């Protein structure tokens, strides 16, 4: 074990191989990208509620810019906020220390993964500087629109002109991001399999470590076809190969299969680590063993496998064979069963619990509630191929998937930050500000998206700059009001986040000093000092039990760390 | 508060109805789950022994929750699947004999409607095309050949709860039967570039006489 040396911030920030430093880099980068994703959504939502002129902090918005902002908002939130937050940040901070080791299996690969990620951010944002402007064909990049704005390659354009387009940069950025996350995922899995503390069998792993690993596996299983697809699409753009051009023997629907073969598992990649966080927090703050541990792992594996064969529920009306749509509808609706089991097991942990409403617990409860009641249940509506005929590409879908993604990425992410902050910074966040932050985030999040469900049922279709063409259908006073409620709530939601930023950065320097195990929790990271030095543990811990022995009848205390006999 | 816009076909009513069926299943599940969520929170202060708290999964009788819950939801799922299946078959997998045939071509950024012309046959020399205005007779089975020219568009008729993506290089034939006269909307539900939000069309559902009249006007037989 190496001595912890004091190094300068910049040097440490850019060159450290320590998993905690890399986790912190990912966290700051994700927050930086979230600022873009959040600003974009503010601009286009403002337009939807109050029109495109004189948007504060932006100016006038044109239709083309609307498409660009929507597209980049979606892509940033998924690939540059969601993926780093739940996979890279959690995986890096938590895996080595929770399994009782000093670092990742491949620290250098870990660093390269971060640098590739940073590069992908730069490539994506430089898309906005291209002569054609940023890519605006939707984050799903459906060709032929993603090949060129007019659906075909102009044979007279040069390679160079095709290269310096938003489309090319967008695709390259996505490809780089995949590479980065692949390197991270390999690292997580190898580390978990090989570097566990003595006595820490797989069935004694904290649930969040399980979830991050399953998510990484799922990502690896599903991303391959899309990497092939991305390459084909790039070739279509750059040299006009026509893989997706129906007039030249290609097929635009092929892309949709490749994309959603990845895209559906991807939403579980974002969900699972976050569910893992919620599991840790539920057990700790209910002071009870995690209920149904093996069952949950088993159900997650089932759901993971099923998630690889439901992708065409995004394509019920895209021109696939209607007979096949029946099978995808069946599988999609059935996937609700393992999720129901998981949610019930989680609620089993709360049952008879000595529940403590700390800030991380509030975020965790908010995460599970909004995911289940609005995200999961409306999945049944959309899994029905018949109802999806109507709901597809309306705001009903927008509201549904934000009710799955926002809890996974944002609420789950905040839960994790509030929970592990004392460990990794050595200081405590302010509780009162945390509670205000929770209530603001939770209430405004709901008041944004509940109106959008209703607008979707009214037939409001998505990715539309201006609804005034549909005066009778979509421009009645209550439609306009619903849009304005959503937008005003968004503005409040964004303002609330400044409370968090203030708390986060101020507490880094001025927060109350945190003890080793402030939540009286069992997992190994709480046995290291706060913050853990380089190498994490002064002595490698040995493990004697699973992580959830809260209120063990044989003990006087209500918790029992994994490394105690 | 109305949840859906007005409807102009019997299929539309069935789809709305299916929404409420699913919402019913979900509603029951919500009530049960909500109870399991809230009850432990309001009783959290109750004094309990360690034995009561130390519920370790597979030794504890409460695991029956999981199985019962999953089983109940499975029943709900099957109910939904049974209800939806026949609708899907009729809407998407069957093609009743047509009374009238037209083609719709999505292009940047308009809907081209191709009428069969006075001979009543599509794809002959006397076909007439119109932009954005679709006239259809009420209570007739209509076949629509759906196509796109440049990029993917999606024919979305909100009041008929009808949607079909249209693809360059492909023709997809679908049917529709409308039971209410009036003026309705045609929208594009798939992003298709700059003018995506300008792809507005009108669907006029007309009685037999009115419709003949409109056709004559479109064909130039009558001014
Ligand atoms: C902070 C609050 C957020 C609000 C108010 C919001 C709002 C919206 C809206 C209204 C759209 C649809 C725009 C349109 O179709 O014209 C949209 C698209 C999207 N959002 Fe969000 N969003 C938020 C956060 C997130 C988060 C956290 C994620 C994912 C982790 C996300 C992922 C997406 C995606 C993937 C799309 C689709 C983009 C596309 O159509 O190409 N959003 N968002
Ligand atoms: Cu999916
Ligand atoms: Cu369109």
């Amino acid at each position: 074990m190496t001595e912890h040396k004091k190094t300068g911030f910049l040097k440490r920030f850019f060159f450290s191989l320590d998993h905690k430093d890399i986790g912190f880099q990912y966290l700051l980068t994700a927050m930086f990208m979230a600022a873009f994703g959040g600003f974009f959504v503010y601009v286009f939502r403002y337009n939807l509620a109050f029109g495109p002129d004189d948007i504060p902090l932006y100016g006038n918005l044109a239709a083309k810019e609307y498409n660009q902002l929507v597209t980049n908002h979606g892509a940033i939130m998924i690939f540059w906020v969601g993926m780093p937050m739940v996979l890279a940040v959690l995986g890096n901070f938590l895996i080595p220390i929770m399994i009782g080791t000093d670092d990742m299996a491949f620290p250098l690969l870990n660093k390269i993964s971060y640098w590739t990620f940073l590069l992908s951010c730069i490539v994506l944002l430089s898309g906005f500087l291209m002569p054609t402007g940023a890519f605006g064909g939707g984050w799903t990049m459906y060709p032929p629109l993603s090949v060129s704005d007019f659906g075909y390659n102009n044979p007279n354009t040069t390679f160079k002109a095709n290269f310096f387009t938003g489309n090319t940069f967008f695709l390259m950025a996505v490809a780089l991001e995949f590479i980065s996350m692949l390197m991270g995922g390999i690292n997580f899995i190898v580390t978990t399999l090989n570097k566990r503390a003595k006595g820490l069998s797989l069935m004694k792993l904290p649930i969040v470590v399980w979830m991050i690993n399953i998510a990484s596996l799922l990502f690896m299983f599903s991303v391959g076809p899309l990497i092939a697809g991305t390459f084909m699409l790039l070739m279509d753009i750059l040299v006009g190969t026509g893989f997706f051009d129906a007039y030249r023997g290609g097929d635009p629907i092929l892309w949709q299969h490749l994309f959603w073969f990845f895209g559906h598992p991807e939403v579980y990649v974002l969900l699972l680590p976050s569910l893992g966080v919620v599991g840790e927090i539920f057990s700790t703050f209910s002071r009870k063993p995690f209920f149904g541990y093996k069952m949950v792992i088993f159900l997650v594996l089932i759901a993971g496998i099923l998630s690889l064969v439901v992708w065409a529920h995004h394509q019920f009306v895209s021109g696939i064979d209607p007979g096949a749509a029946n099978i995808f509808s069946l599988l999609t609706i059935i996937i609700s069963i393992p999720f129901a089991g998981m949610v019930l097991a989680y609620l089993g942990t709360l049952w008879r619990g000595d529940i403590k409403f700390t800030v991380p617990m509030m975020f965790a409860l908010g995460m599970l509630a909004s995911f289940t009641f609005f995200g999961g249940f409306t999945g049944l509506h959309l899994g029905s191929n018949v109802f999806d005929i109507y709901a597809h590409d309306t705001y009903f879908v927008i509201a549904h998937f934000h009710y799955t993604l926002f809890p996974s990425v944002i609420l789950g992410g905040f839960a994790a930050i509030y929970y592990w902050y004392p460990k990794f910074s050595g200081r405590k966040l302010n509780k009162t500000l945390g509670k205000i932050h929770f209530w603001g985030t939770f209430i405004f999040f709901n008041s944004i998206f509940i109106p959008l469900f209703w607008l979707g049922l009214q037939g409001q279709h998505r990715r539309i700059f201006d609804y005034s063409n549909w005066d009778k259908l979509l421009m009645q006073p209550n439609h306009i009001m619903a849009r304005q409620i959503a937008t005003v709530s968004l503005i409040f939601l964004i303002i609330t986040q400044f409370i968090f930023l203030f708390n986060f950065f101020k507490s880094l320097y001025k927060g109350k000093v945190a003890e080793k195990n402030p939540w009286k929790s069992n997992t190994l990271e709480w046995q290291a000092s706060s913050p853990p030095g380089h190498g994490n543990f002064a002595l490698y811990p040995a493990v004697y039990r699973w992580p959830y022995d809260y209120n063990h009848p044989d003990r006087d205390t209500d918790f029992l760390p994994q490394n105690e006999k | 508060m109305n949840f859906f816009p007005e409807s102009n076909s019997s299929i539309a009513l069935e789809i709305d109805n299916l929404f409420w069926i699913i919402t019913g299943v979900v509603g029951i599940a919500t009530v049960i789950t909500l109870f399991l969520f809230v009850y432990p929170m309001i009783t959290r202060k109750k004094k309990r022994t360690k034995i009561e708290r130390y519920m370790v999964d597979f030794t504890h009788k409460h695991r029956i929750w999981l199985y019962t819950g999953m089983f109940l939801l499975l029943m709900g799922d099957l109910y939904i699947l049974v209800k939806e299946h026949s609708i899907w078959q009729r809407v998407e997998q069957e093609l009743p004999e047509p009374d009238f045939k037209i083609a719709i071509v999505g292009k940047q950024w308009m809907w081209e409607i191709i009428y069969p012309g006075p001979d009543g046959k599509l794809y002959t020399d006397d076909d007439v095309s119109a932009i954005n205005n679709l006239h259809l007779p009420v209570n007739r089975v209509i076949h629509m050949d759906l196509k796109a020219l440049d990029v993917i568009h999606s024919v979305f008729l909100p009041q008929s709860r009808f949607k079909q993506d249209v693809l360059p290089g492909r023709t997809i034939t679908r049917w529709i039967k409308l039971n209410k006269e009036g003026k309705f909307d045609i929208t594009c539900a798939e992003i298709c570039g700059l003018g995506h939000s300008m792809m507005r069309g009108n669907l006029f559902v007309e009685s037999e006489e009115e419709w003949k009249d409109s056709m004559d006007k479109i064909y130039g037989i009558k001014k």
Side-chain angles (χ1 to χ4, degrees):
Chain A
M1 248 154 273
T2 28
E3 264 293 290
H4 177 59
K5 282 198 288 293
K6 275 254 173 276
T7 28
F9 174 79
L10 277 184
K11 190 154 173 223
R12 179 159 159 218
F13 190 90
F14 284 108
F15 298 108
S16 164
L17 297 182
D18 189 293
H19 70 102
K20 301 178 290 294
D21 291 338
I22 295 177
F24 192 60
Q25 290 164 357
Y26 266 116
L27 180 61
L28 286 190
T29 318
M31 278 159 68
F32 179 75
M33 293 305 278
F36 281 96
F39 180 66
F40 292 173
V41 66
Y42 150 74
V43 173
F44 72 73
R45 276 262 28 130
Y46 189 95
N47 159 61
L48 290 176
F50 305 111
D53 301 327
D54 294 323
I55 298 176
L57 304 175
Y58 185 85
N60 298 343
L61 184 76
K64 180 175 179 177
E65 292 159 12
Y66 181 89
N67 290 355
Q68 293 169 330
L69 294 183
V70 169
T71 303
N72 284 276
H73 157 76
I76 287 179
M77 288 301 195
I78 299 243
F79 295 128
W80 285 279
V81 179
M83 289 295 274
M85 189 58 220
V86 303
L87 266 192
V89 174
L90 295 181
N92 270 303
F93 271 127
L94 299 181
I95 288 180
I97 194 162
M98 283 185 117
I99 64 172
T101 188
D102 56 345
D103 208 325
M104 287 288 175
F106 310 119
L108 184 63
L109 187 69
N110 207 14
K111 180 94 269 195
I112 298 174
S113 150
Y114 173 73
W115 281 103
T116 314
F117 178 76
L118 189 65
L119 181 66
S120 76
C121 297
I122 296 169
V123 173
L124 180 83
L125 294 176
S126 11
F128 281 88
L129 308 174
M130 293 302 120
T132 59
F135 176 57
W139 83 283
T140 47
M141 308 172 254
Y142 281 9
L145 185 66
S146 53
V147 172
S148 92
D149 288 352
F150 308 103
Y152 60 88
N153 256 76
N154 183 345
N156 300 324
T157 52
T158 59
F159 180 87
K160 195 171 150 203
N162 289 331
F163 185 83
F164 289 103
T165 55
N167 308 36
T168 306
F169 273 63
F170 188 90
L171 276 167
M172 289 194 308
V174 170
L176 284 169
E177 201 269 353
F178 288 165
I179 294 171
S180 147
M181 290 297 144
L182 274 176
M183 292 192 278
I186 291 169
N187 230 334
F188 299 155
I189 292 169
V190 176
T191 308
T192 311
L193 289 182
N194 293 308
K195 297 196 73 178
R196 294 193 308 277
K198 191 160 149 272
L200 185 57
S201 66
L202 288 179
M203 282 299 139
K204 288 185 184 138
L205 278 180
I207 197 80
V208 68
V209 176
W210 265 105
M211 295 284 198
I212 296 170
N213 277 284
I214 297 175
S216 304
L217 272 178
L218 208 51
F219 178 72
M220 290 180 187
F221 279 135
S222 59
V223 80
L226 186 56
I227 292 183
T230 311
F231 181 74
M232 284 149 86
L233 189 51
L234 258 179
M235 287 305 114
D236 271 16
I237 296 172
L238 291 174
V239 291
T241 38
F243 290 115
F244 302 115
D245 182 346
Y247 296 114
R248 292 186 294 141
D251 183 359
I253 290 196
L254 174 62
W255 167 266
Q256 301 180 13
H257 288 298
L258 298 173
F259 184 87
W260 288 115
F261 183 83
F262 161 80
H264 191 81
E266 167 69 7
V267 299
Y268 292 7
V269 171
L270 296 178
L271 168 69
L272 295 183
S274 190
L275 274 183
V277 169
V278 171
E280 300 298 334
I281 293 177
F282 270 19
S283 187
T284 303
F285 295 117
S286 306
R287 315 308 295 165
K288 278 191 62 218
F290 187 93
F291 189 72
Y293 174 84
K294 284 187 187 156
M295 182 74 161
V296 166
I297 293 171
F298 173 74
L299 290 172
V300 172
L301 288 172
I302 300 273
I305 292 167
L306 273 178
S307 81
L308 293 167
V309 290
V310 298
W311 76 89
H313 61 210
H314 299 267
Q315 296 167 257
F316 285 144
V317 295
S318 80
I320 61 166
D321 172 42
N326 283 319
I327 297 167
F328 283 105
S329 179
L330 174 83
L331 289 167
T332 304
I333 288 187
I334 291 299
I335 215 173
S336 63
I337 307 290
F339 277 109
M342 274 187 256
V343 171
L344 289 176
Y346 273 59
L347 297 180
T349 305
L350 296 185
W351 194 253
R352 292 187 192 162
D354 180 9
I355 297 173
K356 310 250 188 293
F357 286 121
T358 58
V359 180
M361 185 65 167
M362 291 162 88
F363 272 100
L365 288 166
M367 185 278 169
L368 197 71
S370 27
F371 175 79
T372 308
F373 293 123
F374 286 100
F377 283 151
T378 53
L380 282 182
H381 290 96
L382 295 169
S384 156
N385 48 9
V386 173
F387 183 65
D388 191 60
I389 299 174
Y390 180 56
H392 177 70
D393 270 346
T394 66
Y395 269 65
F396 194 85
V397 173
I398 299 276
H400 156 74
F401 74 67
H402 281 85
Y403 260 110
T404 64
L405 292 171
F406 192 93
S408 302
V409 174
I410 310 288
L411 298 181
F414 280 136
I417 292 176
Y418 280 100
Y419 186 58
W420 279 291
Y421 188 94
K423 174 55 53 189
F424 291 103
S425 71
R427 289 176 188 275
K428 289 185 177 167
L429 287 165
N430 180 308
K431 247 189 290 182
T432 315
L433 290 181
K435 289 195 174 162
I436 299 173
H437 176 222
F438 168 76
W439 283 113
T441 306
F442 188 72
I443 291 171
F444 296 129
F445 159 60
N446 282 286
S447 60
I448 294 171
F449 288 106
I450 288 173
L452 299 192
F453 273 123
W454 179 75
L455 282 168
L457 292 182
Q458 289 289 301
Q460 179 172 311
H461 46 320
R462 68 192 268 210
R463 294 163 170 171
I464 295 287
F465 164 65
D466 175 9
Y467 288 100
S468 55
N469 266 324
W470 291 275
D471 45 353
K472 197 171 105 208
L473 184 68
L474 296 173
M475 291 300 278
Q476 300 302 316
N478 45 3
H479 299 125
I480 293 171
M481 193 169 75
R483 278 182 217 121
Q484 291 178 344
I485 292 174
T487 298
V488 172
S489 305
L490 170 66
I491 293 172
F492 282 119
L493 178 81
I494 291 175
I495 293 173
T496 311
Q497 303 320 306
F498 286 100
I499 301 175
F500 166 75
L501 287 179
F502 173 77
N503 198 359
F504 184 93
F505 286 107
K506 183 166 176 238
S507 305
L508 272 186
Y509 301 99
K510 297 255 163 70
K512 273 204 227 100
V513 174
E515 59 272 38
K516 217 162 110 178
N517 191 357
W519 311 120
K520 310 230 175 311
S521 178
N522 290 346
T523 35
L524 290 180
E525 77 274 27
W526 304 106
Q527 308 311 319
S529 55
S530 300
H534 193 75
N536 294 340
F537 298 97
L539 266 179
Y540 283 130
V543 171
Y544 301 99
R545 54 184 68 254
W546 79 324
Y548 302 113
D549 271 337
Y550 293 101
N551 266 310
H552 195 292
D554 301 347
R555 301 293 169 124
D556 298 337
T557 51
D558 70 349
F559 71 116
L560 182 48
Q562 276 192 285
N563 60 340
E564 266 179 39
K565 280 232 176 79
Chain B
M1 189 170 68
N2 64 326
F3 279 87
F4 292 98
E6 65 172 324
S7 67
N8 62 12
S9 76
S10 57
I11 296 285
L13 290 180
E14 288 187 64
I15 292 182
D16 295 359
N17 197 29
L18 184 74
F19 171 83
W20 292 112
I21 289 176
I22 302 174
T23 307
V25 171
V26 163
I28 297 171
T30 304
V31 171
I32 298 174
T33 323
L34 200 60
F35 168 75
L36 294 177
F37 230 105
V38 175
Y39 184 76
M41 294 200 224
I42 48 185
T43 56
R44 72 196 180 97
K45 289 262 165 68
K46 207 175 147 198
K47 280 265 172 295
R48 290 195 168 92
T49 62
K50 285 196 156 204
I51 309 264
E52 278 178 303
R53 294 212 202 278
Y54 194 72
M55 285 169 41
V56 179
D57 43 336
F58 281 84
T59 57
H60 203 279
K61 63 182 192 307
H62 281 102
R63 70 170 181 270
I64 205 77
W65 275 4
L66 304 189
Y67 300 129
T68 320
M70 285 192 279
F71 180 76
L72 286 179
L73 189 62
L74 180 67
M75 293 298 108
D77 285 359
L78 292 179
Y79 183 60
I80 295 171
L81 285 164
V82 168
K83 285 286 176 187
E84 73 174 7
H85 189 67
S86 78
I87 312 179
W88 181 262
Q89 266 196 326
R90 264 176 294 136
V91 178
E92 301 269 334
Q93 289 177 285
E94 286 164 14
L95 265 183
E97 277 304 303
D99 298 313
F100 183 62
K101 256 189 106 136
I102 48 121
I104 303 179
V105 186
K107 43 170 113 166
Q108 285 178 332
W109 288 286
M110 62 187 82
W111 300 106
E112 186 187 347
I113 317 285
I114 305 178
Y115 294 98
D119 71 350
K121 290 206 185 85
L122 211 49
Y123 310 125
T124 52
D125 287 343
D126 67 346
D127 288 0
V128 175
S129 80
I131 297 299
N132 287 343
N133 288 328
L134 172 58
H135 294 262
L136 292 177
V138 71
N139 287 328
R140 291 271 179 268
V141 176
I142 318 284
H143 275 199
M144 305 185 283
D145 278 357
L146 305 174
K147 316 166 194 226
L149 187 69
D150 32 45
V151 299
I152 302 177
H153 303 267
S154 185
V155 180
F156 177 28
L157 311 175
Q159 291 90 349
S160 321
R161 318 288 187 262
F162 176 93
K163 189 179 287 125
Q164 175 63 56
D165 284 10
V166 288
L167 303 152
R170 263 207 37 212
T171 301
I172 295 172
T173 306
R174 303 284 313 280
W175 71 277
I176 193 170
K177 188 176 169 189
L178 305 166
N179 64 10
K180 191 174 186 189
E181 292 168 34
K183 182 177 172 221
F184 304 103
D185 297 290
I186 308 177
T187 69
C188 176
E190 187 61 60
I191 189 169
C192 54
L194 262 188
H196 176 47
S197 62
M198 295 168 344
M199 280 189 71
R200 180 205 206 288
N202 302 303
L203 166 63
F204 299 93
V205 183
E206 297 162 335
S207 69
E208 202 71 25
E209 301 80 62
E210 276 174 321
W211 177 67
K212 289 232 161 69
D213 211 51
S214 321
M215 283 296 111
D216 287 350
K217 276 186 199 139
I218 290 168
Y219 295 158
I221 298 172
K222 202 149 78 186
K223 276 268 135 23

